[in-house]
Amino acid sequence: MPYRKKIASKYLLIWIGLCVFVGIVLYLLYNSDYKIELESIQLSERNMVQQHRDNVDYEFSRVLSDLGYLASQTPLGQYLDYPNHQSLARVNKAFASIMRSGSTYYRQLRFIDMNGREVVRVKNVDDNTIIVPPERLQDKSGRYYVRDALELPTATDIYVSPVDLNIEHGKVEIPYQPVIRFAVKIFRGGYPRGILVINYDVQHILDSLQDSERDLWLINGEGFWLKGPEKRLEWGFMLADKPDTRFREYFPDVWRLLHKAEMVSQEHNAHGLFTYVSLNPSASSSIGMAGRGTRDERALYMISYIPQTQLDEVFSRLSSRYLILFLSAVLITGVSLHLLYKSSSISERTASEAEHNKIKFQQLVEFAPDAMVICKPDGTIVLINRRAEELFGYKRHELLEKSIDMLIPERVRAQHGEHVQSYVASPTVRPMGSPDAELLALRKDGSEFPVSISLSPIDSGADMLVVSAIRDASEDRSAG
């Protein structure tokens, strides 16, 4: 009876060892897949935000080009030199031509004199270009963007206003008309004569953010939502019935990082994954945008947000798959060892115990999702799986009892030998190499390819074995 208990204890230890080994292998694979999945999500978000930023930059560059073209046009210069009905009519005609042929998102094109009074206003309404008659022109001297643009020092400086809702006759237009205004100062004979202003419709940019694969947010330099998670949070700085809520009140940690985001950046915290970038309608404007490292109400920030709960759902599915694999392996090995113990005599168990466990171990290795290569401390290969045959192009018998150097490029074999001796002296479960080092493997056909390798020591009784879980990293490198 004591001997029977001893055999049972031995089987139990074998089962626990197999469970630990399977757990380690699956844990390493889970960590690898977790990083790959997170990097894939991050890359997708960066690409989406960058694409939207490029589209906005292109739209704004067209506005600046048209503004420069209009400022140099002869009709405007002739009117300023010889103001009369005929020259004014030619300016109206030239402005109307630009409004018809230019961007469909131009809402107004105006020339405003140094007193802030509109001299020419042409607008697009429902695909119709309308020249506003003189009696309907307005005094805009009280509007902030007129005052700021009139302060431009030279004809080459560009003013870019904050994004806000258009106001006509002192009231916000209904339906809302989100606009950004671009302006240049017109000089004639060395003297300032007024400003040229284009009202650019921002609504289509806001719509494009909502129509993307994931809703994006747009906030201004004061932290107000122009396009937010809820309609009730938008335009809080302009509308009396809107709550004075800002992005910076919801996510203060991310808000502190936004003004540094000249390139697409990311922040992953307890709230979730934020991908953000600043928009600069005019890199050369003297008043329009904030300088580096400062806050300005005219700044614009585009933000993509994935809540942590949504990320947890993705990784929960991943962890569930690996948990099922682990429990299945535990159950299979446990049931197999129990049946073996119950169906075999004590003498048969004693004689076949080592071989049976070897077969089970080989099965676990054989059906592992990664290439598995098991070596002695001197580098002699004692076991590989089917995936290793496929990855390196060798048949199983061509590698067994051969040196692991067959799978390593010749130029790094000496260095690899040193690493092996170092690992044997202090074996632990860990990835091979340093995080920033590139590991290369050698196929039978002589081709090299990048790999990621996880190492695990196994005490086989007579000698230690080193288990290498090898994954082709070519696709990961291409995606990165």
Short mmCIF file of all heavy atoms in Angstrom, two decimals, residues 37-46 48-49 213-217 229 247 251 254 266-276 303-315 317:
data_model
loop_
_atom_site.label_atom_id
_atom_site.label_comp_id
_atom_site.label_asym_id
_atom_site.label_seq_id
_atom_site.Cartn_x
_atom_site.Cartn_y
_atom_site.Cartn_z
N GLU A 37 -2.11 42.43 -30.08
CA GLU A 37 -3.47 42.96 -30.22
C GLU A 37 -3.52 44.44 -29.84
O GLU A 37 -4.13 45.25 -30.55
CB GLU A 37 -4.43 42.17 -29.32
CG GLU A 37 -5.90 42.55 -29.47
CD GLU A 37 -6.50 42.12 -30.79
OE1 GLU A 37 -5.95 41.18 -31.40
OE2 GLU A 37 -7.50 42.73 -31.21
N LEU A 38 -2.85 44.80 -28.75
CA LEU A 38 -2.83 46.20 -28.32
C LEU A 38 -2.11 47.08 -29.34
O LEU A 38 -2.58 48.17 -29.68
CB LEU A 38 -2.17 46.32 -26.95
CG LEU A 38 -2.08 47.74 -26.36
CD1 LEU A 38 -3.48 48.34 -26.23
CD2 LEU A 38 -1.36 47.73 -25.02
N GLU A 39 -0.98 46.59 -29.85
CA GLU A 39 -0.23 47.36 -30.85
C GLU A 39 -1.04 47.52 -32.13
O GLU A 39 -0.98 48.56 -32.79
CB GLU A 39 1.10 46.68 -31.15
CG GLU A 39 2.10 46.79 -30.00
CD GLU A 39 3.35 45.95 -30.25
OE1 GLU A 39 3.40 45.26 -31.30
OE2 GLU A 39 4.26 45.97 -29.40
N SER A 40 -1.81 46.49 -32.47
CA SER A 40 -2.66 46.58 -33.67
C SER A 40 -3.73 47.65 -33.49
O SER A 40 -4.01 48.44 -34.41
CB SER A 40 -3.30 45.21 -33.94
OG SER A 40 -4.21 45.29 -35.02
N ILE A 41 -4.36 47.67 -32.32
CA ILE A 41 -5.38 48.70 -32.03
C ILE A 41 -4.75 50.09 -32.06
O ILE A 41 -5.30 51.03 -32.65
CB ILE A 41 -6.04 48.42 -30.68
CG1 ILE A 41 -6.85 47.13 -30.74
CG2 ILE A 41 -6.95 49.58 -30.26
CD1 ILE A 41 -7.40 46.67 -29.40
N GLN A 42 -3.60 50.22 -31.42
CA GLN A 42 -2.93 51.53 -31.38
C GLN A 42 -2.55 52.00 -32.78
O GLN A 42 -2.73 53.17 -33.11
CB GLN A 42 -1.69 51.44 -30.49
CG GLN A 42 -2.01 51.26 -29.01
CD GLN A 42 -0.77 51.00 -28.18
OE1 GLN A 42 0.20 50.41 -28.65
NE2 GLN A 42 -0.80 51.45 -26.93
N LEU A 43 -2.04 51.09 -33.59
CA LEU A 43 -1.65 51.46 -34.95
C LEU A 43 -2.86 51.88 -35.76
O LEU A 43 -2.82 52.87 -36.51
CB LEU A 43 -0.93 50.29 -35.63
CG LEU A 43 -0.51 50.51 -37.09
CD1 LEU A 43 0.48 51.67 -37.18
CD2 LEU A 43 0.09 49.24 -37.68
N SER A 44 -3.96 51.14 -35.63
CA SER A 44 -5.18 51.48 -36.36
C SER A 44 -5.67 52.87 -35.97
O SER A 44 -6.08 53.66 -36.83
CB SER A 44 -6.26 50.43 -36.08
OG SER A 44 -7.48 50.78 -36.68
N GLU A 45 -5.65 53.18 -34.67
CA GLU A 45 -6.10 54.50 -34.21
C GLU A 45 -5.18 55.60 -34.71
O GLU A 45 -5.65 56.66 -35.14
CB GLU A 45 -6.16 54.52 -32.68
CG GLU A 45 -7.19 53.60 -32.07
CD GLU A 45 -8.60 54.00 -32.48
OE1 GLU A 45 -9.06 55.08 -32.09
OE2 GLU A 45 -9.24 53.22 -33.23
N ARG A 46 -3.87 55.37 -34.67
CA ARG A 46 -2.93 56.39 -35.16
C ARG A 46 -3.14 56.66 -36.64
O ARG A 46 -3.14 57.82 -37.08
CB ARG A 46 -1.48 55.94 -34.91
CG ARG A 46 -1.05 56.04 -33.46
CD ARG A 46 0.48 55.98 -33.35
NE ARG A 46 1.01 54.73 -33.87
CZ ARG A 46 1.21 53.64 -33.16
NH1 ARG A 46 0.92 53.64 -31.87
NH2 ARG A 46 1.72 52.55 -33.70
N MET A 48 -5.87 56.24 -38.40
CA MET A 48 -7.15 56.91 -38.63
C MET A 48 -7.04 58.40 -38.31
O MET A 48 -7.48 59.25 -39.10
CB MET A 48 -8.24 56.27 -37.77
CG MET A 48 -9.60 56.93 -37.91
SD MET A 48 -10.87 56.15 -36.89
CE MET A 48 -10.23 56.47 -35.26
N VAL A 49 -6.44 58.73 -37.16
CA VAL A 49 -6.31 60.13 -36.78
C VAL A 49 -5.40 60.87 -37.77
O VAL A 49 -5.68 62.01 -38.16
CB VAL A 49 -5.76 60.24 -35.34
CG1 VAL A 49 -5.40 61.68 -35.00
CG2 VAL A 49 -6.80 59.72 -34.35
N GLU A 213 -14.92 55.35 -38.92
CA GLU A 213 -15.18 54.04 -38.32
C GLU A 213 -15.34 54.13 -36.80
O GLU A 213 -15.96 53.29 -36.17
CB GLU A 213 -14.03 53.10 -38.66
CG GLU A 213 -12.66 53.60 -38.24
CD GLU A 213 -11.53 52.73 -38.78
OE1 GLU A 213 -11.10 52.97 -39.92
OE2 GLU A 213 -11.12 51.81 -38.06
N ARG A 214 -14.76 55.18 -36.21
CA ARG A 214 -14.98 55.45 -34.80
C ARG A 214 -15.16 56.95 -34.65
O ARG A 214 -14.45 57.73 -35.25
CB ARG A 214 -13.77 55.00 -33.97
CG ARG A 214 -14.01 55.07 -32.49
CD ARG A 214 -12.73 54.80 -31.70
NE ARG A 214 -11.96 53.69 -32.21
CZ ARG A 214 -12.28 52.41 -32.05
NH1 ARG A 214 -13.38 52.09 -31.39
NH2 ARG A 214 -11.53 51.45 -32.55
N ASP A 215 -16.15 57.37 -33.85
CA ASP A 215 -16.38 58.80 -33.67
C ASP A 215 -15.15 59.48 -33.09
O ASP A 215 -14.54 58.98 -32.13
CB ASP A 215 -17.57 59.02 -32.74
CG ASP A 215 -18.89 58.80 -33.46
OD1 ASP A 215 -18.85 58.46 -34.65
OD2 ASP A 215 -19.95 58.96 -32.82
N LEU A 216 -14.78 60.60 -33.70
CA LEU A 216 -13.67 61.40 -33.20
C LEU A 216 -14.22 62.66 -32.54
O LEU A 216 -15.31 63.10 -32.85
CB LEU A 216 -12.72 61.78 -34.35
CG LEU A 216 -12.06 60.62 -35.09
CD1 LEU A 216 -11.21 61.14 -36.23
CD2 LEU A 216 -11.20 59.80 -34.16
N TRP A 217 -13.42 63.22 -31.65
CA TRP A 217 -13.80 64.46 -30.99
C TRP A 217 -12.93 65.59 -31.52
O TRP A 217 -11.79 65.38 -31.93
CB TRP A 217 -13.60 64.37 -29.48
CG TRP A 217 -14.39 63.28 -28.82
CD1 TRP A 217 -15.51 62.66 -29.30
CD2 TRP A 217 -14.13 62.68 -27.55
NE1 TRP A 217 -15.96 61.72 -28.42
CE2 TRP A 217 -15.13 61.71 -27.32
CE3 TRP A 217 -13.16 62.87 -26.59
CZ2 TRP A 217 -15.18 60.95 -26.17
CZ3 TRP A 217 -13.20 62.11 -25.42
CH2 TRP A 217 -14.20 61.15 -25.23
N PRO A 229 -18.73 63.68 -27.31
CA PRO A 229 -19.44 62.40 -27.15
C PRO A 229 -20.95 62.57 -27.09
O PRO A 229 -21.68 61.62 -27.35
CB PRO A 229 -18.88 61.86 -25.83
CG PRO A 229 -18.40 63.07 -25.10
CD PRO A 229 -17.93 64.03 -26.14
N PHE A 247 -13.66 69.29 -21.96
CA PHE A 247 -12.87 68.06 -22.02
C PHE A 247 -11.90 68.00 -20.86
O PHE A 247 -11.70 66.94 -20.25
CB PHE A 247 -12.12 68.02 -23.35
CG PHE A 247 -11.15 66.87 -23.48
CD1 PHE A 247 -11.57 65.64 -23.95
CD2 PHE A 247 -9.82 67.02 -23.11
CE1 PHE A 247 -10.68 64.58 -24.07
CE2 PHE A 247 -8.93 65.97 -23.22
CZ PHE A 247 -9.36 64.75 -23.69
N PHE A 251 -11.13 64.73 -18.49
CA PHE A 251 -9.86 64.01 -18.65
C PHE A 251 -8.69 64.98 -18.44
O PHE A 251 -7.98 65.32 -19.40
CB PHE A 251 -9.79 63.36 -20.03
CG PHE A 251 -10.98 62.53 -20.39
CD1 PHE A 251 -11.90 62.99 -21.34
CD2 PHE A 251 -11.19 61.30 -19.80
CE1 PHE A 251 -13.01 62.22 -21.67
CE2 PHE A 251 -12.30 60.53 -20.13
CZ PHE A 251 -13.21 60.99 -21.06
N VAL A 254 -5.04 63.89 -19.73
CA VAL A 254 -4.83 63.95 -21.18
C VAL A 254 -4.79 65.40 -21.64
O VAL A 254 -4.01 65.77 -22.52
CB VAL A 254 -5.95 63.18 -21.92
CG1 VAL A 254 -5.73 63.24 -23.43
CG2 VAL A 254 -6.00 61.73 -21.45
N GLN A 266 -0.30 59.21 -28.30
CA GLN A 266 -1.27 58.34 -27.63
C GLN A 266 -1.02 58.34 -26.12
O GLN A 266 0.11 58.51 -25.66
CB GLN A 266 -1.20 56.91 -28.17
CG GLN A 266 -1.79 56.77 -29.56
CD GLN A 266 -1.78 55.35 -30.08
OE1 GLN A 266 -0.79 54.64 -29.96
NE2 GLN A 266 -2.89 54.93 -30.69
N GLU A 267 -2.08 58.14 -25.39
CA GLU A 267 -2.03 58.01 -23.93
C GLU A 267 -3.01 56.90 -23.53
O GLU A 267 -4.19 56.96 -23.86
CB GLU A 267 -2.41 59.33 -23.26
CG GLU A 267 -2.57 59.24 -21.76
CD GLU A 267 -1.25 59.06 -21.02
OE1 GLU A 267 -0.18 59.12 -21.67
OE2 GLU A 267 -1.29 58.85 -19.80
N HIS A 268 -2.47 55.90 -22.84
CA HIS A 268 -3.30 54.80 -22.36
C HIS A 268 -3.31 54.87 -20.84
O HIS A 268 -2.28 54.66 -20.19
CB HIS A 268 -2.74 53.47 -22.85
CG HIS A 268 -3.65 52.31 -22.58
ND1 HIS A 268 -3.27 51.00 -22.77
CD2 HIS A 268 -4.93 52.26 -22.13
CE1 HIS A 268 -4.27 50.19 -22.44
NE2 HIS A 268 -5.29 50.94 -22.05
N ASN A 269 -4.47 55.18 -20.28
CA ASN A 269 -4.58 55.29 -18.83
C ASN A 269 -5.81 54.54 -18.35
O ASN A 269 -6.40 53.75 -19.10
CB ASN A 269 -4.59 56.76 -18.39
CG ASN A 269 -5.74 57.54 -19.01
OD1 ASN A 269 -6.78 56.98 -19.37
ND2 ASN A 269 -5.56 58.85 -19.14
N ALA A 270 -6.22 54.80 -17.12
CA ALA A 270 -7.35 54.07 -16.54
C ALA A 270 -8.65 54.33 -17.29
O ALA A 270 -9.57 53.50 -17.26
CB ALA A 270 -7.51 54.44 -15.07
N HIS A 271 -8.77 55.48 -17.95
CA HIS A 271 -9.99 55.79 -18.71
C HIS A 271 -10.06 55.02 -20.03
O HIS A 271 -11.16 54.72 -20.52
CB HIS A 271 -10.06 57.29 -18.99
CG HIS A 271 -10.21 58.13 -17.77
ND1 HIS A 271 -11.38 58.17 -17.03
CD2 HIS A 271 -9.33 58.96 -17.14
CE1 HIS A 271 -11.22 58.99 -16.01
NE2 HIS A 271 -9.99 59.48 -16.04
N GLY A 272 -8.92 54.75 -20.64
CA GLY A 272 -8.90 54.07 -21.93
C GLY A 272 -7.75 54.55 -22.78
O GLY A 272 -6.75 55.08 -22.28
N LEU A 273 -7.88 54.38 -24.10
CA LEU A 273 -6.83 54.74 -25.05
C LEU A 273 -7.23 56.02 -25.77
O LEU A 273 -8.26 56.08 -26.43
CB LEU A 273 -6.62 53.61 -26.06
CG LEU A 273 -5.60 53.88 -27.17
CD1 LEU A 273 -4.20 54.04 -26.57
CD2 LEU A 273 -5.60 52.74 -28.19
N PHE A 274 -6.39 57.04 -25.64
CA PHE A 274 -6.59 58.32 -26.31
C PHE A 274 -5.54 58.45 -27.41
O PHE A 274 -4.34 58.26 -27.17
CB PHE A 274 -6.45 59.49 -25.34
CG PHE A 274 -7.48 59.52 -24.24
CD1 PHE A 274 -7.31 58.77 -23.09
CD2 PHE A 274 -8.61 60.32 -24.36
CE1 PHE A 274 -8.25 58.79 -22.08
CE2 PHE A 274 -9.56 60.35 -23.35
CZ PHE A 274 -9.38 59.58 -22.21
N THR A 275 -6.00 58.80 -28.62
CA THR A 275 -5.09 59.10 -29.72
C THR A 275 -5.41 60.51 -30.18
O THR A 275 -6.57 60.81 -30.48
CB THR A 275 -5.30 58.10 -30.89
OG1 THR A 275 -5.17 56.76 -30.39
CG2 THR A 275 -4.25 58.33 -31.97
N TYR A 276 -4.42 61.37 -30.21
CA TYR A 276 -4.73 62.78 -30.41
C TYR A 276 -3.63 63.48 -31.21
O TYR A 276 -2.49 63.01 -31.30
CB TYR A 276 -4.90 63.48 -29.05
CG TYR A 276 -3.76 63.24 -28.08
CD1 TYR A 276 -2.65 64.08 -28.06
CD2 TYR A 276 -3.80 62.16 -27.20
CE1 TYR A 276 -1.60 63.86 -27.18
CE2 TYR A 276 -2.75 61.94 -26.32
CZ TYR A 276 -1.66 62.79 -26.31
OH TYR A 276 -0.62 62.56 -25.45
N ILE A 303 -9.25 64.12 -31.37
CA ILE A 303 -9.05 63.06 -30.38
C ILE A 303 -9.90 61.84 -30.73
O ILE A 303 -11.10 61.96 -30.99
CB ILE A 303 -9.42 63.54 -28.97
CG1 ILE A 303 -8.63 64.79 -28.60
CG2 ILE A 303 -9.16 62.44 -27.94
CD1 ILE A 303 -9.12 65.46 -27.33
N SER A 304 -9.26 60.68 -30.72
CA SER A 304 -9.98 59.41 -30.78
C SER A 304 -9.91 58.77 -29.39
O SER A 304 -8.88 58.79 -28.74
CB SER A 304 -9.33 58.49 -31.82
OG SER A 304 -9.79 57.16 -31.67
N TYR A 305 -11.03 58.18 -28.97
CA TYR A 305 -11.10 57.63 -27.61
C TYR A 305 -11.73 56.25 -27.64
O TYR A 305 -12.82 56.06 -28.16
CB TYR A 305 -11.91 58.57 -26.72
CG TYR A 305 -12.25 58.02 -25.36
CD1 TYR A 305 -11.25 57.60 -24.49
CD2 TYR A 305 -13.58 57.92 -24.93
CE1 TYR A 305 -11.56 57.10 -23.23
CE2 TYR A 305 -13.90 57.44 -23.67
CZ TYR A 305 -12.88 57.02 -22.83
OH TYR A 305 -13.18 56.52 -21.60
N ILE A 306 -11.02 55.28 -27.06
CA ILE A 306 -11.57 53.94 -26.85
C ILE A 306 -11.66 53.72 -25.34
O ILE A 306 -10.62 53.68 -24.66
CB ILE A 306 -10.70 52.84 -27.48
CG1 ILE A 306 -10.49 53.08 -28.97
CG2 ILE A 306 -11.32 51.47 -27.26
CD1 ILE A 306 -9.62 52.04 -29.64
N PRO A 307 -12.86 53.62 -24.77
CA PRO A 307 -12.98 53.42 -23.32
C PRO A 307 -12.28 52.14 -22.87
O PRO A 307 -12.20 51.16 -23.63
CB PRO A 307 -14.50 53.32 -23.11
CG PRO A 307 -15.11 53.94 -24.32
CD PRO A 307 -14.16 53.68 -25.45
N GLN A 308 -11.78 52.14 -21.64
CA GLN A 308 -11.09 50.97 -21.12
C GLN A 308 -12.02 49.76 -21.06
O GLN A 308 -11.57 48.62 -21.25
CB GLN A 308 -10.53 51.27 -19.73
CG GLN A 308 -9.64 50.16 -19.18
CD GLN A 308 -8.46 49.87 -20.08
OE1 GLN A 308 -7.81 50.76 -20.59
NE2 GLN A 308 -8.18 48.58 -20.28
N THR A 309 -13.30 50.00 -20.82
CA THR A 309 -14.25 48.88 -20.79
C THR A 309 -14.30 48.16 -22.14
O THR A 309 -14.44 46.94 -22.20
CB THR A 309 -15.65 49.38 -20.43
OG1 THR A 309 -16.02 50.46 -21.32
CG2 THR A 309 -15.69 49.88 -18.99
N GLN A 310 -14.18 48.95 -23.22
CA GLN A 310 -14.19 48.35 -24.56
C GLN A 310 -12.91 47.56 -24.81
O GLN A 310 -12.94 46.48 -25.41
CB GLN A 310 -14.36 49.45 -25.60
CG GLN A 310 -14.60 48.94 -27.02
CD GLN A 310 -14.94 50.07 -27.97
OE1 GLN A 310 -15.45 51.10 -27.57
NE2 GLN A 310 -14.63 49.87 -29.23
N LEU A 311 -11.78 48.10 -24.35
CA LEU A 311 -10.52 47.36 -24.48
C LEU A 311 -10.56 46.09 -23.64
O LEU A 311 -10.06 45.03 -24.07
CB LEU A 311 -9.36 48.24 -24.04
CG LEU A 311 -9.01 49.44 -24.94
CD1 LEU A 311 -7.94 50.30 -24.28
CD2 LEU A 311 -8.55 48.98 -26.31
N ASP A 312 -11.16 46.20 -22.44
CA ASP A 312 -11.24 45.02 -21.57
C ASP A 312 -12.05 43.91 -22.22
O ASP A 312 -11.73 42.72 -22.05
CB ASP A 312 -11.89 45.40 -20.24
CG ASP A 312 -10.98 46.27 -19.37
OD1 ASP A 312 -9.77 46.28 -19.64
OD2 ASP A 312 -11.50 46.95 -18.46
N GLU A 313 -13.08 44.27 -22.98
CA GLU A 313 -13.87 43.26 -23.68
C GLU A 313 -13.02 42.51 -24.70
O GLU A 313 -13.12 41.28 -24.84
CB GLU A 313 -15.06 43.91 -24.36
CG GLU A 313 -16.13 44.43 -23.42
CD GLU A 313 -17.25 45.13 -24.15
OE1 GLU A 313 -17.23 45.13 -25.40
OE2 GLU A 313 -18.15 45.69 -23.50
N VAL A 314 -12.18 43.25 -25.42
CA VAL A 314 -11.30 42.63 -26.43
C VAL A 314 -10.34 41.66 -25.75
O VAL A 314 -10.19 40.50 -26.17
CB VAL A 314 -10.52 43.71 -27.20
CG1 VAL A 314 -9.50 43.06 -28.14
CG2 VAL A 314 -11.47 44.60 -27.98
N PHE A 315 -9.69 42.12 -24.67
CA PHE A 315 -8.68 41.28 -24.02
C PHE A 315 -9.33 40.19 -23.17
O PHE A 315 -8.70 39.16 -22.89
CB PHE A 315 -7.76 42.15 -23.19
CG PHE A 315 -6.96 43.12 -24.02
CD1 PHE A 315 -6.99 44.48 -23.75
CD2 PHE A 315 -6.22 42.69 -25.10
CE1 PHE A 315 -6.28 45.37 -24.52
CE2 PHE A 315 -5.50 43.57 -25.88
CZ PHE A 315 -5.53 44.91 -25.59
N ARG A 317 -11.90 38.43 -24.19
CA ARG A 317 -12.09 37.32 -25.15
C ARG A 317 -10.79 36.57 -25.38
O ARG A 317 -10.78 35.34 -25.49
CB ARG A 317 -12.65 37.87 -26.46
CG ARG A 317 -14.08 38.38 -26.37
CD ARG A 317 -14.67 38.62 -27.74
NE ARG A 317 -14.03 39.74 -28.42
CZ ARG A 317 -14.43 41.00 -28.35
NH1 ARG A 317 -15.49 41.30 -27.59
NH2 ARG A 317 -13.81 41.96 -29.00
#
